[in-house]
Amino acid sequence: MRWKVGVLTVSDKGSRGDREDTSGQVIRELVEEELGGEVVDYRIVPDERDEIMAALIEMADYYHADLVLTTGGTGLAPRDITPEATLEVINRQVPGIPEAMRAASMEKTRRAMLSRGIAGIRGRTLIINLPGSPKGVSENLLSIINQLPHALAILTMREGDHDV
């Protein structure tokens, strides 16, 4: 099954063209190679709540992405507001996903506890915040990617709900 995926990079420097978006590229590669997904929308926005929210809403509601993966804006810096913007647009949280990512990352670095990324559902779209670094994106996404097909199948009603 081919999943429709939106990729949103949140970066002031990236949105101005001052930095290459290597994290977004890592997401694209993992989506295509490991998940068998198709990137239907990709963009870079600055660390601005309204722009993040608008992009997430459009990817979910207009492009009907099954999955939206964000990168960046999940740390402790004052402009790191991706989780807050995500909370504004989701209907329900899926706390197990970021818990699993942080647990897996903690085995590699204690700094993983500082990641504030969340996951949630908007309509029939799963939105997951990933860290901003290519290494963080890869480690976090790979730690959950094998569970995403089942989650997306249930969310998009392509598969019945199952007891866990």
Side-chain angles (χ1 to χ4, degrees):
M1 178 165 308
R2 259 201 51 114
W3 302 108
K4 296 188 296 184
V5 181
V7 177
L8 178 63
T9 298
V10 180
S11 167
D12 287 330
K13 290 180 180 178
S15 69
R16 291 191 305 261
D18 295 342
R19 176 184 295 159
E20 183 183 0
D21 180 24
T22 53
S23 295
Q25 293 170 13
V26 169
I27 292 174
R28 179 184 295 274
E29 290 169 10
L30 290 174
V31 161
E32 292 172 353
E33 295 169 13
E34 301 293 328
L35 186 62
E38 172 190 2
V39 175
V40 294
D41 191 21
Y42 163 78
R43 24 181 125 172
I44 304 173
V45 298
D47 293 273
E48 296 291 342
R49 184 184 302 253
D50 291 344
E51 291 193 48
I52 298 166
M53 290 170 53
L56 291 172
I57 291 168
E58 192 169 331
M59 288 179 178
D61 297 359
Y62 178 76
Y63 287 97
H64 302 288
D66 301 308
L67 174 66
V68 175
L69 298 168
T70 73
T71 177
T74 62
L76 302 180
R79 289 189 55 79
D80 288 340
I81 57 164
T82 303
E84 289 75 19
T86 303
L87 282 169
E88 293 285 330
V89 304
I90 62 172
N91 309 110
R92 297 182 289 159
Q93 290 191 55
V94 184
I97 292 174
E99 289 169 8
M101 291 190 304
R102 277 188 283 274
S105 292
M106 285 287 293
E107 293 177 12
K108 294 174 175 42
T109 176
R110 299 285 294 159
R111 290 188 180 165
M113 70 176 72
L114 303 177
S115 178
R116 300 180 316 105
I118 67 160
I121 298 165
R122 178 180 178 85
R124 296 199 191 280
T125 302
L126 178 60
I127 300 172
I128 302 172
N129 300 152
L130 298 167
S133 73
K135 182 179 179 190
V137 163
S138 180
E139 289 175 355
N140 280 262
L141 188 50
L142 286 172
S143 74
I144 61 163
I145 205 158
N146 65 340
Q147 295 304 308
L148 292 180
H150 179 69
L152 295 173
I154 292 171
L155 180 61
T156 60
M157 299 186 70
R158 296 181 200 163
E159 181 178 306
D161 197 359
H162 299 283
D163 292 334
V164 288

